[in-house]
Amino acid sequence: TSRWTTELYLEGISTKDDSTISTGWRLENRFRPLKREHWINPILYFEYESINEASGIAKEIVGNAEISDESNAELRRVHAHELETKLILSSTVHDWNISENFIVEKNLSEDEGFEFGYAFGVYRPLSSLASGHACRFCRENFAAGFEMYGGLGSTNGFGLKDTAHYFAPVLAWQVSENSTLRFSPGIGLTDVSAPALIRFGYSYEIHGFGQKVARLFGGHS
């Protein structure tokens, strides 16, 4: 809807000279508390994760960097229920969008305290003027910028010690009214960071989903 977005992720991992396995699922929700646009627009983010320790998804970086040499088969035996929350602050300055995220994550299966992280990003469309005709490769369908993200330790030790941080250029392509491709090759900035972290994704939005379901089952919208 205009104020609530929900997404379901099914995830897995494929490791060279190891195996390909399923690692679990995630349910993500974003809620916009303010109806109108303001100078700073807050978004409340909640995500429930049912995953195992083999998960290699790096949607965000939290806590302290951990390096494991265990196999996928060993890691998948350890299951975790996790809750992740974010405060997302977004601003628009001329054609630039600026976003700041503060992240808190809690493993509900273990007494590990709370883990913290951050993300900061700036991007803008390559053109603010529409071409006036249908075009998939026009400049206004592309946005570019950069992002920086990393961990901030935990309640057992808040700070930058033994934390991973990344800097990455970002390119997004609005393929159609509903779908977007995004590519972000990150460079590790600390000794415990991975040398490179490449993120890419495809998203498809279903607009008016609740109204369509209501009509499908004979309800009123």
Side-chain angles (χ1 to χ4, degrees):
T1 69
S2 60
R3 300 178 64 189
W4 172 53
T5 299
T6 184
E7 301 179 24
L8 174 66
Y9 292 83
L10 304 177
E11 67 170 73
I13 187 171
S14 181
T15 307
K16 184 180 180 181
D17 300 324
D18 193 336
S19 61
T20 299
I21 61 172
S22 170
T23 53
W25 58 273
R26 303 166 183 252
L27 182 63
E28 172 189 299
N29 291 275
R30 299 170 187 250
F31 179 72
R32 183 175 179 175
L34 305 179
K35 290 184 178 181
R36 299 178 180 176
E37 290 289 328
H38 296 267
W39 181 56
I40 297 178
N41 299 290
I43 295 176
L44 304 178
Y45 174 107
F46 302 92
E47 180 180 288
Y48 173 75
E49 305 171 1
S50 178
I51 57 177
N52 58 55
E53 291 298 320
S55 173
I57 298 294
K59 288 173 63 253
E60 55 280 317
I61 306 297
V62 296
N64 299 96
E66 298 181 3
I67 300 176
S68 175
D69 58 359
E70 295 181 87
S71 68
N72 288 345
E74 294 171 316
L75 291 171
R76 75 181 303 179
R77 298 192 187 105
V78 183
H79 194 270
H81 298 275
E82 297 184 351
L83 181 65
E84 178 184 307
T85 62
K86 294 181 189 177
L87 173 60
I88 303 174
L89 302 176
S90 176
S91 303
T92 301
V93 181
H94 300 295
D95 293 331
W96 292 91
N97 181 270
I98 304 170
S99 178
E100 308 91 16
N101 299 358
F102 179 67
I103 308 166
V104 180
E105 185 174 289
K106 179 70 173 74
N107 187 340
L108 303 176
S109 304
E110 300 287 343
D111 186 16
E112 298 177 345
F114 293 86
E115 296 183 302
F116 307 108
Y118 73 94
F120 173 79
V122 176
Y123 72 92
R124 61 161 295 164
L126 298 187
S127 176
S128 58
L129 298 176
S131 59
H133 60 276
C135 176
R136 291 286 179 264
F137 296 97
C138 294
R139 289 167 57 89
E140 65 266 22
N141 291 329
F142 291 86
F146 71 87
E147 59 185 4
M148 185 172 177
Y149 49 90
L152 294 174
S154 67
T155 48
N156 297 324
F158 184 83
L160 302 177
K161 183 179 180 181
D162 297 328
T163 56
H165 302 268
Y166 298 87
F167 177 84
V170 181
L171 180 64
W173 175 27
Q174 189 78 26
V175 182
S176 68
E177 181 182 352
N178 300 77
S179 58
T180 304
L181 279 171
R182 188 172 183 274
F183 179 64
S184 173
I187 302 171
L189 301 177
T190 63
D191 293 338
V192 294
S193 304
L197 184 60
I198 298 177
R199 293 170 161 179
F200 60 92
Y202 172 80
S203 62
Y204 184 88
E205 296 184 7
I206 303 175
H207 299 296
F209 180 76
Q211 296 177 357
K212 293 177 182 178
V213 171
R215 287 195 294 267
L216 179 64
F217 288 95
H220 299 281
S221 58

